């Protein structure tokens, strides 16, 4: 476990703890639904967990859409998107996205086809009528640091080459090109953008081989079980996590799995946390 102290462009201090699977051997950082809903200190604790680790759980949440929405709106307004904003993710939904299936999902970030990928994601499973489906989470900042130390040329290349991402449905074709690793003005990792399921075709001439080799080294790091925290999402436990930092995936499952999910903007999350740090 590695601690980094950085200052973002708004001069709000962030204490980041980089983690691996063993970090959460005793479970994820968690607060209760009543703590978050009844007092600012509970809300602040939840958001500080996310600022620190990139994710935080709220337990004892009534397993329904209304309570989940009320909890999320304690943080910020829900971001509208092509999936409807506050959405049910199950195999009956008519979307081409791989999340609306029961197959294995490799580790990825959401919105690689967006100029402004969603800052945070909310997951809340509302039923237990399925087998399998264990969630996978990886600290992308830890993975990037590992790549930087072990394969500096690959790291440098993945901060410079624009990876094309796209999303295609009957009436929608989104596409952008941005690097897998985005650095800030201090040369620190600011954002991870990776989803091979949404990647558009690419070719960079003689450099193409080097890009694939860099991607291979990246994949070896994020596919290492030692770097993957796995657990099963259950009703009552709402997870909010940083999509600019963490990669997430899921094992295949059988049966019916209903989950509500939505996106929040990073600037709104940071705004709420600044106010809480000042007033709480």
């Amino acid at each position: 476990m590695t601690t980094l102290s950085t200052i973002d462009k708004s001069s709000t201090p962030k204490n980041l703890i980089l983690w691996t699977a063993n970090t959460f051997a005793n479970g994820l950082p968690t607060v209760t639904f009543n703590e978050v809903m009844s007092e600012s200190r509970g809300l602040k604790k939840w958001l500080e967990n996310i600022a620190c680790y990139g994710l935080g759980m709220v337990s004892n949440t009534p397993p329904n859409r209304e309570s989940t929405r009320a909890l999320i709106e304690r943080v910020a307004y829900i971001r509208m998107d092509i999936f409807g904003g506050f959405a049910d993710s199950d195999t009956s939904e008519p979307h081409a996205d791989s999340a609306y299936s029961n197959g294995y999902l490799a580790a990825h970030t959401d919105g690689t086809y967006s100029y402004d990928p969603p800052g945070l994601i909310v997951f809340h499973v509302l039923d237990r009528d399925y087998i399998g489906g264990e969630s996978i989470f990886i600290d992308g900042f830890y993975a990037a640091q590992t790549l930087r130390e072990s394969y500096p040329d690959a790291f440098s290349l993945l901060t410079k080459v624009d990876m094309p991402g796209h999303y295609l449905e009957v009436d929608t074709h989104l596409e952008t090109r941005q690097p897998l690793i985005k650095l800030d003005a201090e040369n620190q990792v600011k954002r991870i953008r990776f989803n091979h399921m949404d990647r558009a075709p690419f070719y960079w001439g003689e450099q193409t081989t080097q890009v694939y080799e860099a991607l291979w080294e990246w994949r070896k790091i994020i596919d290492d079980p030692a770097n993957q925290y796995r657990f099963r999402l259950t009703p009552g436990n709402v997870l909010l996590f940083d999509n600019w930092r963490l990669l997430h995936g899921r094992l295949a499952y059988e049966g019916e799995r209903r989950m509500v999910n939505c996106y929040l903007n990073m600037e709104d999350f940071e705004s709420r946390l600044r106010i809480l740090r000042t007033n709480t």
Side-chain angles (χ1 to χ4, degrees), residues 123-180:
F123 285 164
H124 188 194
V125 168
L126 300 184
D127 63 54
R128 295 174 178 267
D129 192 21
Y130 67 99
I131 300 172
E134 191 175 33
S135 292
I136 302 168
F137 284 88
I138 299 154
D139 188 348
F141 286 3
Y142 175 82
Q145 176 175 285
T146 302
L147 185 70
R148 189 176 215 167
E149 294 173 350
S150 302
Y151 305 97
D153 291 342
F155 176 88
S156 178
L157 189 60
L158 294 181
T159 66
K160 298 173 182 176
V161 173
D162 284 337
M163 295 288 178
H166 73 163
Y167 182 85
L168 183 64
E169 286 190 356
V170 174
D171 298 319
T172 305
H173 188 176
L174 305 175
E175 182 170 329
T176 64
R177 292 173 175 263
Q178 297 180 33
L180 190 156

Side-chain angles (χ1 to χ4, degrees), residues 4-25:
L4 297 179
S5 293
T6 64
I7 302 295
D8 68 11
K9 292 182 179 180
S10 64
S11 298
T12 301
K14 290 184 176 181
N15 295 313
L16 305 181
I17 294 180
L18 305 186
W19 53 265
T20 62
N22 288 335
T23 304
F24 303 122

Side-chain angles (χ1 to χ4, degrees), residues 2-71:
T2 305
T3 301
L4 297 179
S5 293
T6 64
I7 302 295
D8 68 11
K9 292 182 179 180
S10 64
S11 298
T12 301
K14 290 184 176 181
N15 295 313
L16 305 181
I17 294 180
L18 305 186
W19 53 265
T20 62
N22 288 335
T23 304
F24 303 122
N26 295 320
L28 292 174
T30 302
V31 296
T32 68
F33 179 80
N34 286 338
E35 285 179 298
V36 174
M37 298 301 292
S38 64
E39 58 182 11
S40 295
R41 284 177 296 180
L43 176 60
K44 179 176 181 289
K45 182 179 178 182
W46 183 28
L47 301 193
E48 290 286 10
N49 286 338
I50 297 159
C52 179
Y53 298 103
L55 76 173
M57 187 80 79
V58 175
S59 62
N60 302 120
T61 305
N64 57 64
R65 289 173 58 90
E66 295 74 22
S67 297
T68 307
R69 178 186 285 274
L71 176 68

